[in-house]
Amino acid sequence: MAVQEARQGYGTRKYDTRGHDTHRGGCTCGGCTCGAREGHRRAVAAFLLKRDELAAGQGLPAALAHSAGASRRWVSDELTRSARAVGERGRAERDAWLAGLWPRTVGVVWGGVGVLLLVQALTAAAGAGWTVARTAGLVAAAVTGGLLTAAGRLHRSRGGVLAPLIGEDNRLSTSRAAAAGVVLLCGYAVLVLAVRLVAASGRGQRAELVDGLRLGRSAGLLTVLAVVCAVAVLARWLVGTRVLGQRSQKVRAARPRGADLLTDDAGRGSFTDVQYVAVTAAAVVWALARLARRPDRLPDLPWGLAVLVVVSAATYLAGKYAEGGRPVIHSVVRAREAGDLDAPVRTGDDIEIRGAGFVPPGAGGADQLARLAVRIGAVHVHVPLVPVPGGFTNPTDTVVTVPVPADVEPGRVEVQVITASGAGTNPCVVDVVD
């Protein structure tokens, strides 16, 4: 569909040299959310059109048709320039999208307050009428909503209320989201008790509310709070340490998505994330139900549920420790096409590097693939992009093919792959002959 749009649109609209619409047919300047989104969409359409045309052999200069190496390099350079334009438009769209997100997050917060008001009114009409506990719940919800609104405005350029949940890789953090849910629950429960304490008239009633904060009654909830907050801190430290030690690879996402809470960096469903979110959400729902039944004390979580959260958190941390890994080269061989004779590696030949982890999770876009490089001796070779309809055959996560440049000195040389995340593989020694 994007390719068809590009073919139709390029015949009727004016575009600049990078494939951007010059305000005919819609703003694509990137200064507003709609313009940034439209500019990114058209840049993607232009890239897909160019990739499929080059994959079909169209648009190749006649002077390069006689040289397979030169034509491959020219195709790769053209796709790299187009992919960088897509990346620039994507970053502009991300910034505009984040800046326009905070009013929607504030709307969701106050929509939740409105839903609580509606539920309170309906239950009051069907039950014993309006009570002080219902008023305390609404006042606590309004105070919480006001605090979240103020925090969202302070971080309006970073997604508003969601800013503390966005990690350094520009994805929503599962551990931070779980901790935020429990922290909000505890803060809301304390505000409910505070409002009821202010409204209490008798000494016995005030003593009962203060007694509701006793450690023995809220030990389960406090244990869950301590565990989820510790997991949020440990997960950040663990991931950062593994990335700095090149034991794991991280690339920035285009923008945060709700699915990040349940998937890994590549967008695949993650068991450890799903079970952690499900168990923590169940504990929060249970605590809210207990607070609704007994608004004069902090929710008392059963120890069985608290232990379940602890087990789930431990599983999540174990999954964080086990995921990812350093890219590794298994072997390097001379690339051979059908009909070629077997021979040693010489300058000008293509070598096929076999291994794993060459494309980090989330780095499958063309602008990320174009950052892949191979160090052969003292020469750094950028991996050429080889297009086919719908994707690329080079590079892949397990195989990278590059030519041996003429500047490589004959003899035993080391080959090392540098991925888009900046991580380097183990060196592999190859013999290059004259």
Side-chain angles (χ1 to χ4, degrees):
M1 182 178 295
V3 176
Q4 293 175 355
E5 283 187 7
R7 288 198 177 102
Q8 294 171 359
Y10 267 60
T12 57
R13 296 172 180 164
K14 290 185 177 181
Y15 291 80
D16 60 20
T17 56
R18 301 168 80 179
H20 303 156
D21 194 331
T22 57
H23 293 279
R24 290 189 59 184
C27 173
T28 60
C29 62
C32 60
T33 304
C34 295
R37 184 185 303 114
E38 182 68 12
H40 181 244
R41 185 184 65 83
R42 292 178 181 174
V44 171
F47 171 79
L48 295 178
L49 174 62
K50 178 174 291 188
R51 183 197 64 190
D52 291 349
E53 287 180 345
L54 292 175
Q58 303 175 10
L60 188 67
L64 300 177
H66 67 282
S67 174
S71 61
R72 183 177 58 184
R73 174 53 60 187
W74 184 88
V75 167
S76 179
D77 291 343
E78 288 294 307
L79 290 175
T80 299
R81 281 191 287 268
S82 183
R84 288 174 179 170
V86 173
E88 292 175 5
R89 282 294 182 172
R91 286 186 288 272
E93 182 197 14
R94 177 198 63 200
D95 295 340
W97 182 81
L98 284 175
L101 182 62
W102 85 270
R104 285 179 282 173
T105 59
V106 171
V108 170
V109 169
W110 289 105
V113 176
V115 170
L116 178 62
L117 173 60
L118 180 61
V119 172
Q120 295 276 43
L122 292 176
T123 54
W130 198 266
T131 61
V132 177
R134 298 181 191 277
T135 303
L138 285 177
V139 172
V143 172
T144 303
L147 293 175
L148 290 177
T149 301
R153 180 164 180 80
L154 289 175
H155 298 280
R156 57 186 178 273
S157 62
R158 285 287 301 158
V161 177
L162 296 181
L165 309 183
I166 300 175
E168 289 73 14
D169 58 352
N170 208 37
R171 295 179 177 86
L172 285 177
S173 170
T174 302
S175 59
R176 296 185 191 183
V182 179
V183 168
L184 283 177
L185 165 68
C186 294
Y188 175 74
V190 171
L191 286 175
V192 170
L193 292 178
V195 175
R196 293 204 63 190
L197 183 62
V198 171
S201 57
R203 178 179 299 178
Q205 194 177 22
R206 289 195 295 269
E208 182 181 357
L209 290 171
V210 173
D211 190 59
L213 293 172
R214 283 195 313 173
L215 182 61
R217 292 182 175 179
S218 56
L221 178 62
L222 296 180
T223 300
V224 170
L225 176 63
V227 168
V228 295
C229 290
V231 166
V233 176
L234 286 175
R236 180 179 180 180
W237 173 83
L238 180 62
V239 172
T241 302
R242 288 176 59 82
V243 170
L244 291 177
Q246 293 195 11
R247 296 190 301 274
S248 183
Q249 300 188 77
K250 277 281 186 180
V251 295
R252 288 178 61 84
R255 69 182 187 184
R257 304 176 304 150
D260 294 338
L261 301 178
L262 306 174
T263 61
D264 58 14
D265 291 352
R268 300 183 297 262
S270 171
F271 167 75
T272 55
D273 290 38
V274 170
Q275 61 87 28
Y276 188 44
V277 170
V279 172
T280 307
V284 170
V285 171
W286 176 280
L288 287 174
R290 292 295 297 168
L291 181 63
R293 296 290 295 176
R294 294 297 302 270
D296 57 343
R297 63 174 62 175
L298 286 179
D300 50 336
L301 286 184
W303 277 109
L305 184 55
V307 172
L308 180 61
V309 173
V310 172
V311 172
S312 176
T315 303
Y316 174 78
L317 278 180
K320 280 293 181 184
Y321 182 80
E323 72 179 8
R326 183 173 180 174
V328 59
I329 295 178
H330 294 155
S331 59
V332 178
V333 299
R334 176 178 177 271
R336 175 183 176 276
E337 296 183 359
D340 285 351
L341 298 177
D342 295 326
V345 177
R346 294 183 172 86
T347 56
D349 290 344
D350 288 343
I351 56 174
E352 187 177 275
I353 306 171
R354 302 171 182 175
F358 299 148
V359 180
D367 56 331
Q368 297 285 355
L369 293 178
R371 299 178 59 191
L372 197 65
V374 176
R375 184 176 64 83
I376 305 176
V379 182
H380 289 80
V381 183
H382 289 278
V383 178
L385 300 177
V386 180
V388 293
F392 299 93
T393 59
N394 187 62
T396 65
D397 188 57
T398 57
V399 177
V400 170
T401 302
V402 294
V404 179
D407 294 332
V408 174
E409 296 291 338
R412 296 176 64 85
V413 297
E414 290 186 347
V415 176
Q416 185 181 29
V417 177
I418 296 91
T419 69
S421 68
T425 65
N426 57 301
C428 185
V429 178
V430 177
D431 292 318
V432 179
V433 302
D434 291 330

